[in-house]
PDB file of all heavy atoms in Angstrom:
ATOM      1  N   GLY A   1      -4.765  -9.536   7.061  1.00  0.00           N
ATOM      2  CA  GLY A   1      -5.111  -8.255   6.435  1.00  0.00           C
ATOM      3  C   GLY A   1      -5.528  -8.416   4.980  1.00  0.00           C
ATOM      4  O   GLY A   1      -5.638  -9.556   4.457  1.00  0.00           O
ATOM      5  N   PRO A   2      -5.761  -7.302   4.301  1.00  0.00           N
ATOM      6  CA  PRO A   2      -6.196  -7.363   2.915  1.00  0.00           C
ATOM      7  C   PRO A   2      -5.038  -7.782   1.975  1.00  0.00           C
ATOM      8  O   PRO A   2      -3.894  -7.442   2.185  1.00  0.00           O
ATOM      9  CB  PRO A   2      -6.612  -5.906   2.597  1.00  0.00           C
ATOM     10  CG  PRO A   2      -5.740  -5.104   3.542  1.00  0.00           C
ATOM     11  CD  PRO A   2      -5.604  -5.935   4.794  1.00  0.00           C
ATOM     12  N   ARG A   3      -5.387  -8.559   0.988  1.00  0.00           N
ATOM     13  CA  ARG A   3      -4.416  -8.941  -0.046  1.00  0.00           C
ATOM     14  C   ARG A   3      -4.345  -7.855  -1.123  1.00  0.00           C
ATOM     15  O   ARG A   3      -3.300  -7.582  -1.674  1.00  0.00           O
ATOM     16  CB  ARG A   3      -4.808 -10.282  -0.712  1.00  0.00           C
ATOM     17  CG  ARG A   3      -4.927 -11.393   0.268  1.00  0.00           C
ATOM     18  CD  ARG A   3      -3.603 -12.036   0.472  1.00  0.00           C
ATOM     19  NE  ARG A   3      -3.708 -13.071   1.515  1.00  0.00           N
ATOM     20  CZ  ARG A   3      -2.657 -13.640   2.022  1.00  0.00           C
ATOM     21  NH1 ARG A   3      -1.475 -13.369   1.579  1.00  0.00           N
ATOM     22  NH2 ARG A   3      -2.800 -14.548   2.959  1.00  0.00           N
ATOM     23  N   LEU A   4      -5.508  -7.261  -1.406  1.00  0.00           N
ATOM     24  CA  LEU A   4      -5.596  -6.212  -2.410  1.00  0.00           C
ATOM     25  C   LEU A   4      -6.933  -5.485  -2.151  1.00  0.00           C
ATOM     26  O   LEU A   4      -7.966  -6.110  -2.221  1.00  0.00           O
ATOM     27  CB  LEU A   4      -5.592  -6.800  -3.814  1.00  0.00           C
ATOM     28  CG  LEU A   4      -5.771  -5.851  -4.991  1.00  0.00           C
ATOM     29  CD1 LEU A   4      -4.551  -4.990  -5.161  1.00  0.00           C
ATOM     30  CD2 LEU A   4      -6.044  -6.617  -6.276  1.00  0.00           C
ATOM     31  N   THR A   5      -6.832  -4.199  -1.875  1.00  0.00           N
ATOM     32  CA  THR A   5      -8.069  -3.475  -1.593  1.00  0.00           C
ATOM     33  C   THR A   5      -7.940  -2.005  -2.011  1.00  0.00           C
ATOM     34  O   THR A   5      -6.897  -1.406  -1.856  1.00  0.00           O
ATOM     35  CB  THR A   5      -8.496  -3.591  -0.092  1.00  0.00           C
ATOM     36  OG1 THR A   5      -9.792  -3.090   0.068  1.00  0.00           O
ATOM     37  CG2 THR A   5      -7.536  -2.818   0.782  1.00  0.00           C
ATOM     38  N   THR A   6      -9.046  -1.514  -2.546  1.00  0.00           N
ATOM     39  CA  THR A   6      -9.150  -0.072  -2.859  1.00  0.00           C
ATOM     40  C   THR A   6      -9.648   0.666  -1.635  1.00  0.00           C
ATOM     41  O   THR A   6     -10.516   0.195  -0.923  1.00  0.00           O
ATOM     42  CB  THR A   6     -10.098   0.117  -4.056  1.00  0.00           C
ATOM     43  OG1 THR A   6      -9.599  -0.628  -5.152  1.00  0.00           O
ATOM     44  CG2 THR A   6     -10.245   1.575  -4.450  1.00  0.00           C
ATOM     45  N   ILE A   7      -9.099   1.843  -1.420  1.00  0.00           N
ATOM     46  CA  ILE A   7      -9.437   2.677  -0.253  1.00  0.00           C
ATOM     47  C   ILE A   7      -9.792   4.068  -0.789  1.00  0.00           C
ATOM     48  O   ILE A   7      -9.139   4.552  -1.701  1.00  0.00           O
ATOM     49  CB  ILE A   7      -8.260   2.734   0.735  1.00  0.00           C
ATOM     50  CG1 ILE A   7      -7.898   1.317   1.209  1.00  0.00           C
ATOM     51  CG2 ILE A   7      -8.588   3.636   1.913  1.00  0.00           C
ATOM     52  CD1 ILE A   7      -6.592   1.230   1.934  1.00  0.00           C
ATOM     53  N   ARG A   8     -10.760   4.682  -0.153  1.00  0.00           N
ATOM     54  CA  ARG A   8     -11.182   6.002  -0.620  1.00  0.00           C
ATOM     55  C   ARG A   8     -10.964   7.054   0.479  1.00  0.00           C
ATOM     56  O   ARG A   8     -11.920   7.636   1.004  1.00  0.00           O
ATOM     57  CB  ARG A   8     -12.629   5.998  -1.090  1.00  0.00           C
ATOM     58  CG  ARG A   8     -12.773   5.208  -2.370  1.00  0.00           C
ATOM     59  CD  ARG A   8     -14.236   5.104  -2.843  1.00  0.00           C
ATOM     60  NE  ARG A   8     -14.291   4.448  -4.152  1.00  0.00           N
ATOM     61  CZ  ARG A   8     -14.268   3.126  -4.318  1.00  0.00           C
ATOM     62  NH1 ARG A   8     -14.119   2.324  -3.306  1.00  0.00           N
ATOM     63  NH2 ARG A   8     -14.386   2.605  -5.524  1.00  0.00           N
ATOM     64  N   LEU A   9      -9.726   7.243   0.864  1.00  0.00           N
ATOM     65  CA  LEU A   9      -9.363   8.285   1.802  1.00  0.00           C
ATOM     66  C   LEU A   9      -8.758   9.440   1.038  1.00  0.00           C
ATOM     67  O   LEU A   9      -8.414   9.298  -0.160  1.00  0.00           O
ATOM     68  CB  LEU A   9      -8.377   7.748   2.835  1.00  0.00           C
ATOM     69  CG  LEU A   9      -8.938   6.701   3.842  1.00  0.00           C
ATOM     70  CD1 LEU A   9      -7.821   6.117   4.682  1.00  0.00           C
ATOM     71  CD2 LEU A   9     -10.021   7.348   4.718  1.00  0.00           C
ATOM     72  N   PRO A  10      -8.600  10.593   1.661  1.00  0.00           N
ATOM     73  CA  PRO A  10      -8.022  11.756   0.911  1.00  0.00           C
ATOM     74  C   PRO A  10      -6.652  11.469   0.277  1.00  0.00           C
ATOM     75  O   PRO A  10      -6.377  11.903  -0.838  1.00  0.00           O
ATOM     76  CB  PRO A  10      -7.931  12.831   1.971  1.00  0.00           C
ATOM     77  CG  PRO A  10      -9.078  12.524   2.926  1.00  0.00           C
ATOM     78  CD  PRO A  10      -9.071  11.012   2.989  1.00  0.00           C
ATOM     79  N   ALA A  11      -5.768  10.745   0.968  1.00  0.00           N
ATOM     80  CA  ALA A  11      -4.464  10.452   0.386  1.00  0.00           C
ATOM     81  C   ALA A  11      -4.339   9.008  -0.077  1.00  0.00           C
ATOM     82  O   ALA A  11      -3.982   8.729  -1.201  1.00  0.00           O
ATOM     83  CB  ALA A  11      -3.352  10.759   1.435  1.00  0.00           C
ATOM     84  N   LEU A  12      -4.656   8.053   0.806  1.00  0.00           N
ATOM     85  CA  LEU A  12      -4.493   6.641   0.532  1.00  0.00           C
ATOM     86  C   LEU A  12      -5.607   6.078  -0.358  1.00  0.00           C
ATOM     87  O   LEU A  12      -6.767   6.232  -0.046  1.00  0.00           O
ATOM     88  CB  LEU A  12      -4.437   5.893   1.867  1.00  0.00           C
ATOM     89  CG  LEU A  12      -4.122   4.393   1.812  1.00  0.00           C
ATOM     90  CD1 LEU A  12      -2.754   4.142   1.242  1.00  0.00           C
ATOM     91  CD2 LEU A  12      -4.236   3.838   3.213  1.00  0.00           C
ATOM     92  N   LYS A  13      -5.208   5.468  -1.448  1.00  0.00           N
ATOM     93  CA  LYS A  13      -6.185   4.969  -2.442  1.00  0.00           C
ATOM     94  C   LYS A  13      -6.211   3.440  -2.531  1.00  0.00           C
ATOM     95  O   LYS A  13      -7.116   2.879  -3.119  1.00  0.00           O
ATOM     96  CB  LYS A  13      -5.913   5.563  -3.838  1.00  0.00           C
ATOM     97  CG  LYS A  13      -6.025   7.073  -3.856  1.00  0.00           C
ATOM     98  CD  LYS A  13      -7.357   7.534  -3.357  1.00  0.00           C
ATOM     99  CE  LYS A  13      -7.449   9.053  -3.310  1.00  0.00           C
ATOM    100  NZ  LYS A  13      -8.686   9.505  -2.672  1.00  0.00           N
ATOM    101  N   GLY A  14      -5.200   2.762  -2.005  1.00  0.00           N
ATOM    102  CA  GLY A  14      -5.217   1.340  -2.076  1.00  0.00           C
ATOM    103  C   GLY A  14      -4.019   0.721  -1.343  1.00  0.00           C
ATOM    104  O   GLY A  14      -2.996   1.391  -1.123  1.00  0.00           O
ATOM    105  N   VAL A  15      -4.195  -0.547  -0.940  1.00  0.00           N
ATOM    106  CA  VAL A  15      -3.165  -1.281  -0.225  1.00  0.00           C
ATOM    107  C   VAL A  15      -3.154  -2.711  -0.748  1.00  0.00           C
ATOM    108  O   VAL A  15      -4.190  -3.286  -1.041  1.00  0.00           O
ATOM    109  CB  VAL A  15      -3.390  -1.305   1.278  1.00  0.00           C
ATOM    110  CG1 VAL A  15      -2.448  -2.208   2.013  1.00  0.00           C
ATOM    111  CG2 VAL A  15      -3.346   0.103   1.834  1.00  0.00           C
ATOM    112  N   ALA A  16      -1.951  -3.287  -0.885  1.00  0.00           N
ATOM    113  CA  ALA A  16      -1.833  -4.695  -1.258  1.00  0.00           C
ATOM    114  C   ALA A  16      -0.666  -5.339  -0.558  1.00  0.00           C
ATOM    115  O   ALA A  16       0.408  -4.702  -0.358  1.00  0.00           O
ATOM    116  CB  ALA A  16      -1.645  -4.799  -2.772  1.00  0.00           C
ATOM    117  N   LEU A  17      -0.831  -6.613  -0.196  1.00  0.00           N
ATOM    118  CA  LEU A  17       0.289  -7.435   0.213  1.00  0.00           C
ATOM    119  C   LEU A  17       0.966  -7.904  -1.072  1.00  0.00           C
ATOM    120  O   LEU A  17       0.373  -8.651  -1.836  1.00  0.00           O
ATOM    121  CB  LEU A  17      -0.169  -8.658   1.042  1.00  0.00           C
ATOM    122  CG  LEU A  17       0.910  -9.613   1.472  1.00  0.00           C
ATOM    123  CD1 LEU A  17       1.836  -8.961   2.465  1.00  0.00           C
ATOM    124  CD2 LEU A  17       0.297 -10.874   2.059  1.00  0.00           C
ATOM    125  N   THR A  18       2.134  -7.405  -1.352  1.00  0.00           N
ATOM    126  CA  THR A  18       2.782  -7.696  -2.636  1.00  0.00           C
ATOM    127  C   THR A  18       3.813  -8.776  -2.542  1.00  0.00           C
ATOM    128  O   THR A  18       4.282  -9.280  -3.587  1.00  0.00           O
ATOM    129  CB  THR A  18       3.403  -6.426  -3.255  1.00  0.00           C
ATOM    130  OG1 THR A  18       4.374  -5.897  -2.318  1.00  0.00           O
ATOM    131  CG2 THR A  18       2.357  -5.369  -3.529  1.00  0.00           C
ATOM    132  N   GLY A  19       4.207  -9.194  -1.352  1.00  0.00           N
ATOM    133  CA  GLY A  19       5.145 -10.294  -1.266  1.00  0.00           C
ATOM    134  C   GLY A  19       5.369 -10.818   0.144  1.00  0.00           C
ATOM    135  O   GLY A  19       5.255 -10.105   1.116  1.00  0.00           O
ATOM    136  N   ASP A  20       5.665 -12.099   0.159  1.00  0.00           N
ATOM    137  CA  ASP A  20       6.086 -12.846   1.344  1.00  0.00           C
ATOM    138  C   ASP A  20       7.062 -13.874   0.792  1.00  0.00           C
ATOM    139  O   ASP A  20       6.720 -15.018   0.540  1.00  0.00           O
ATOM    140  CB  ASP A  20       4.863 -13.501   2.027  1.00  0.00           C
ATOM    141  CG  ASP A  20       5.257 -14.353   3.198  1.00  0.00           C
ATOM    142  OD1 ASP A  20       6.407 -14.219   3.693  1.00  0.00           O
ATOM    143  OD2 ASP A  20       4.406 -15.144   3.681  1.00  0.00           O
ATOM    144  N   PHE A  21       8.248 -13.403   0.509  1.00  0.00           N
ATOM    145  CA  PHE A  21       9.197 -14.153  -0.316  1.00  0.00           C
ATOM    146  C   PHE A  21      10.587 -14.025   0.216  1.00  0.00           C
ATOM    147  O   PHE A  21      11.071 -12.884   0.394  1.00  0.00           O
ATOM    148  CB  PHE A  21       9.064 -13.612  -1.766  1.00  0.00           C
ATOM    149  CG  PHE A  21       9.800 -14.381  -2.808  1.00  0.00           C
ATOM    150  CD1 PHE A  21       9.419 -15.648  -3.170  1.00  0.00           C
ATOM    151  CD2 PHE A  21      10.884 -13.801  -3.437  1.00  0.00           C
ATOM    152  CE1 PHE A  21      10.097 -16.359  -4.160  1.00  0.00           C
ATOM    153  CE2 PHE A  21      11.563 -14.508  -4.441  1.00  0.00           C
ATOM    154  CZ  PHE A  21      11.143 -15.781  -4.794  1.00  0.00           C
ATOM    155  N   GLU A  22      11.229 -15.156   0.491  1.00  0.00           N
ATOM    156  CA  GLU A  22      12.645 -15.202   0.896  1.00  0.00           C
ATOM    157  C   GLU A  22      12.965 -14.271   2.049  1.00  0.00           C
ATOM    158  O   GLU A  22      13.933 -13.516   2.047  1.00  0.00           O
ATOM    159  CB  GLU A  22      13.561 -14.915  -0.305  1.00  0.00           C
ATOM    160  CG  GLU A  22      13.457 -16.001  -1.363  1.00  0.00           C
ATOM    161  CD  GLU A  22      14.428 -15.840  -2.504  1.00  0.00           C
ATOM    162  OE1 GLU A  22      15.067 -14.755  -2.638  1.00  0.00           O
ATOM    163  OE2 GLU A  22      14.579 -16.797  -3.265  1.00  0.00           O
ATOM    164  N   GLY A  23      12.119 -14.305   3.081  1.00  0.00           N
ATOM    165  CA  GLY A  23      12.384 -13.542   4.290  1.00  0.00           C
ATOM    166  C   GLY A  23      12.074 -12.040   4.223  1.00  0.00           C
ATOM    167  O   GLY A  23      12.453 -11.313   5.082  1.00  0.00           O
ATOM    168  N   VAL A  24      11.332 -11.650   3.179  1.00  0.00           N
ATOM    169  CA  VAL A  24      10.950 -10.253   3.022  1.00  0.00           C
ATOM    170  C   VAL A  24       9.456 -10.193   2.781  1.00  0.00           C
ATOM    171  O   VAL A  24       8.906 -10.878   1.919  1.00  0.00           O
ATOM    172  CB  VAL A  24      11.667  -9.572   1.832  1.00  0.00           C
ATOM    173  CG1 VAL A  24      11.250  -8.108   1.705  1.00  0.00           C
ATOM    174  CG2 VAL A  24      13.184  -9.670   1.987  1.00  0.00           C
ATOM    175  N   VAL A  25       8.777  -9.367   3.593  1.00  0.00           N
ATOM    176  CA  VAL A  25       7.333  -9.093   3.394  1.00  0.00           C
ATOM    177  C   VAL A  25       7.229  -7.679   2.807  1.00  0.00           C
ATOM    178  O   VAL A  25       7.802  -6.745   3.360  1.00  0.00           O
ATOM    179  CB  VAL A  25       6.533  -9.203   4.685  1.00  0.00           C
ATOM    180  CG1 VAL A  25       5.074  -8.804   4.465  1.00  0.00           C
ATOM    181  CG2 VAL A  25       6.616 -10.630   5.204  1.00  0.00           C
ATOM    182  N   THR A  26       6.543  -7.548   1.683  1.00  0.00           N
ATOM    183  CA  THR A  26       6.359  -6.243   1.058  1.00  0.00           C
ATOM    184  C   THR A  26       4.886  -5.908   0.964  1.00  0.00           C
ATOM    185  O   THR A  26       4.049  -6.779   0.708  1.00  0.00           O
ATOM    186  CB  THR A  26       7.013  -6.161  -0.338  1.00  0.00           C
ATOM    187  OG1 THR A  26       6.544  -7.249  -1.132  1.00  0.00           O
ATOM    188  CG2 THR A  26       8.523  -6.181  -0.271  1.00  0.00           C
ATOM    189  N   ILE A  27       4.631  -4.624   1.176  1.00  0.00           N
ATOM    190  CA  ILE A  27       3.275  -4.084   1.127  1.00  0.00           C
ATOM    191  C   ILE A  27       3.310  -2.887   0.220  1.00  0.00           C
ATOM    192  O   ILE A  27       4.243  -2.035   0.341  1.00  0.00           O
ATOM    193  CB  ILE A  27       2.802  -3.695   2.539  1.00  0.00           C
ATOM    194  CG1 ILE A  27       2.729  -4.962   3.411  1.00  0.00           C
ATOM    195  CG2 ILE A  27       1.464  -2.949   2.496  1.00  0.00           C
ATOM    196  CD1 ILE A  27       2.846  -4.683   4.877  1.00  0.00           C
ATOM    197  N   GLY A  28       2.366  -2.773  -0.670  1.00  0.00           N
ATOM    198  CA  GLY A  28       2.286  -1.608  -1.561  1.00  0.00           C
ATOM    199  C   GLY A  28       1.147  -0.706  -1.152  1.00  0.00           C
ATOM    200  O   GLY A  28       0.102  -1.179  -0.721  1.00  0.00           O
ATOM    201  N   ALA A  29       1.381   0.601  -1.280  1.00  0.00           N
ATOM    202  CA  ALA A  29       0.337   1.577  -1.002  1.00  0.00           C
ATOM    203  C   ALA A  29       0.228   2.518  -2.209  1.00  0.00           C
ATOM    204  O   ALA A  29       1.226   2.855  -2.810  1.00  0.00           O
ATOM    205  CB  ALA A  29       0.690   2.380   0.245  1.00  0.00           C
ATOM    206  N   ALA A  30      -0.990   2.865  -2.567  1.00  0.00           N
ATOM    207  CA  ALA A  30      -1.252   3.674  -3.792  1.00  0.00           C
ATOM    208  C   ALA A  30      -1.860   5.016  -3.423  1.00  0.00           C
ATOM    209  O   ALA A  30      -2.640   5.152  -2.472  1.00  0.00           O
ATOM    210  CB  ALA A  30      -2.229   2.917  -4.696  1.00  0.00           C
ATOM    211  N   PHE A  31      -1.490   6.054  -4.258  1.00  0.00           N
ATOM    212  CA  PHE A  31      -1.921   7.432  -4.034  1.00  0.00           C
ATOM    213  C   PHE A  31      -2.178   8.084  -5.361  1.00  0.00           C
ATOM    214  O   PHE A  31      -1.543   7.748  -6.352  1.00  0.00           O
ATOM    215  CB  PHE A  31      -0.812   8.209  -3.291  1.00  0.00           C
ATOM    216  CG  PHE A  31      -0.346   7.493  -2.068  1.00  0.00           C
ATOM    217  CD1 PHE A  31       0.707   6.589  -2.106  1.00  0.00           C
ATOM    218  CD2 PHE A  31      -0.966   7.749  -0.850  1.00  0.00           C
ATOM    219  CE1 PHE A  31       1.118   5.915  -0.977  1.00  0.00           C
ATOM    220  CE2 PHE A  31      -0.514   7.068   0.300  1.00  0.00           C
ATOM    221  CZ  PHE A  31       0.533   6.156   0.244  1.00  0.00           C
ATOM    222  N   ASP A  32      -3.072   9.075  -5.395  1.00  0.00           N
ATOM    223  CA  ASP A  32      -3.320   9.871  -6.587  1.00  0.00           C
ATOM    224  C   ASP A  32      -2.304  10.998  -6.740  1.00  0.00           C
ATOM    225  O   ASP A  32      -2.002  11.441  -7.855  1.00  0.00           O
ATOM    226  CB  ASP A  32      -4.722  10.459  -6.604  1.00  0.00           C
ATOM    227  CG  ASP A  32      -5.796   9.401  -6.920  1.00  0.00           C
ATOM    228  OD1 ASP A  32      -5.434   8.361  -7.510  1.00  0.00           O
ATOM    229  OD2 ASP A  32      -6.971   9.666  -6.611  1.00  0.00           O
ATOM    230  N   THR A  33      -1.803  11.496  -5.597  1.00  0.00           N
ATOM    231  CA  THR A  33      -0.823  12.581  -5.621  1.00  0.00           C
ATOM    232  C   THR A  33       0.449  12.096  -4.906  1.00  0.00           C
ATOM    233  O   THR A  33       0.405  11.124  -4.141  1.00  0.00           O
ATOM    234  CB  THR A  33      -1.350  13.841  -4.886  1.00  0.00           C
ATOM    235  OG1 THR A  33      -1.675  13.473  -3.529  1.00  0.00           O
ATOM    236  CG2 THR A  33      -2.591  14.412  -5.588  1.00  0.00           C
ATOM    237  N   LYS A  34       1.559  12.772  -5.168  1.00  0.00           N
ATOM    238  CA  LYS A  34       2.825  12.342  -4.605  1.00  0.00           C
ATOM    239  C   LYS A  34       2.722  12.390  -3.072  1.00  0.00           C
ATOM    240  O   LYS A  34       2.426  13.418  -2.516  1.00  0.00           O
ATOM    241  CB  LYS A  34       3.949  13.270  -5.099  1.00  0.00           C
ATOM    242  CG  LYS A  34       5.312  12.824  -4.666  1.00  0.00           C
ATOM    243  CD  LYS A  34       6.385  13.649  -5.276  1.00  0.00           C
ATOM    244  CE  LYS A  34       7.765  13.172  -4.834  1.00  0.00           C
ATOM    245  NZ  LYS A  34       8.820  13.966  -5.456  1.00  0.00           N
ATOM    246  N   PRO A  35       2.965  11.249  -2.419  1.00  0.00           N
ATOM    247  CA  PRO A  35       2.745  11.239  -0.956  1.00  0.00           C
ATOM    248  C   PRO A  35       3.876  11.910  -0.172  1.00  0.00           C
ATOM    249  O   PRO A  35       5.048  11.691  -0.415  1.00  0.00           O
ATOM    250  CB  PRO A  35       2.744   9.707  -0.675  1.00  0.00           C
ATOM    251  CG  PRO A  35       3.506   9.109  -1.757  1.00  0.00           C
ATOM    252  CD  PRO A  35       3.329   9.949  -2.971  1.00  0.00           C
ATOM    253  N   ALA A  36       3.442  12.744   0.762  1.00  0.00           N
ATOM    254  CA  ALA A  36       4.361  13.331   1.739  1.00  0.00           C
ATOM    255  C   ALA A  36       4.103  12.548   3.032  1.00  0.00           C
ATOM    256  O   ALA A  36       2.996  12.572   3.553  1.00  0.00           O
ATOM    257  CB  ALA A  36       4.072  14.804   1.940  1.00  0.00           C
ATOM    258  N   TYR A  37       5.105  11.825   3.499  1.00  0.00           N
ATOM    259  CA  TYR A  37       4.881  10.882   4.590  1.00  0.00           C
ATOM    260  C   TYR A  37       5.959  10.968   5.663  1.00  0.00           C
ATOM    261  O   TYR A  37       7.086  11.412   5.425  1.00  0.00           O
ATOM    262  CB  TYR A  37       4.737   9.446   4.045  1.00  0.00           C
ATOM    263  CG  TYR A  37       6.009   8.959   3.356  1.00  0.00           C
ATOM    264  CD1 TYR A  37       6.968   8.269   4.072  1.00  0.00           C
ATOM    265  CD2 TYR A  37       6.219   9.178   2.018  1.00  0.00           C
ATOM    266  CE1 TYR A  37       8.113   7.829   3.477  1.00  0.00           C
ATOM    267  CE2 TYR A  37       7.339   8.719   1.386  1.00  0.00           C
ATOM    268  CZ  TYR A  37       8.289   8.026   2.118  1.00  0.00           C
ATOM    269  OH  TYR A  37       9.422   7.572   1.488  1.00  0.00           O
ATOM    270  N   THR A  38       5.580  10.451   6.822  1.00  0.00           N
ATOM    271  CA  THR A  38       6.519  10.193   7.930  1.00  0.00           C
ATOM    272  C   THR A  38       6.248   8.782   8.405  1.00  0.00           C
ATOM    273  O   THR A  38       5.124   8.259   8.208  1.00  0.00           O
ATOM    274  CB  THR A  38       6.364  11.191   9.084  1.00  0.00           C
ATOM    275  OG1 THR A  38       5.009  11.082   9.584  1.00  0.00           O
ATOM    276  CG2 THR A  38       6.620  12.630   8.667  1.00  0.00           C
ATOM    277  N   SER A  39       7.246   8.180   9.013  1.00  0.00           N
ATOM    278  CA  SER A  39       7.046   6.841   9.542  1.00  0.00           C
ATOM    279  C   SER A  39       7.699   6.735  10.918  1.00  0.00           C
ATOM    280  O   SER A  39       8.624   7.452  11.235  1.00  0.00           O
ATOM    281  CB  SER A  39       7.615   5.794   8.563  1.00  0.00           C
ATOM    282  OG  SER A  39       9.002   5.940   8.438  1.00  0.00           O
TER     283      SER A  39
END
C-alpha cells in the first residue's frame, strides 16, 4: 500500500504507514474536520 499519500475525499485527506516496529504496525489517517467514525 501507500507509504504516504494525499487523498481528496470529503472526509479522508491522507494516509500513511507510520510504523512497522517491534510487532506493531501503525497507520495514520488525516482529516480537515474532527472525524466521526465506526470500525
Side-chain angles (χ1 to χ4, degrees):
R3 301 273 175 189
L4 177 71
T5 191
T6 300
I7 301 168
R8 290 179 176 81
L9 290 173
L12 186 61
K13 300 303 177 186
V15 173
L17 176 67
T18 59
D20 177 14
F21 188 68
E22 295 184 347
V24 180
V25 175
T26 51
I27 297 157
F31 308 89
D32 285 340
T33 58
K34 187 175 181 178
Y37 62 92
T38 60
S39 64

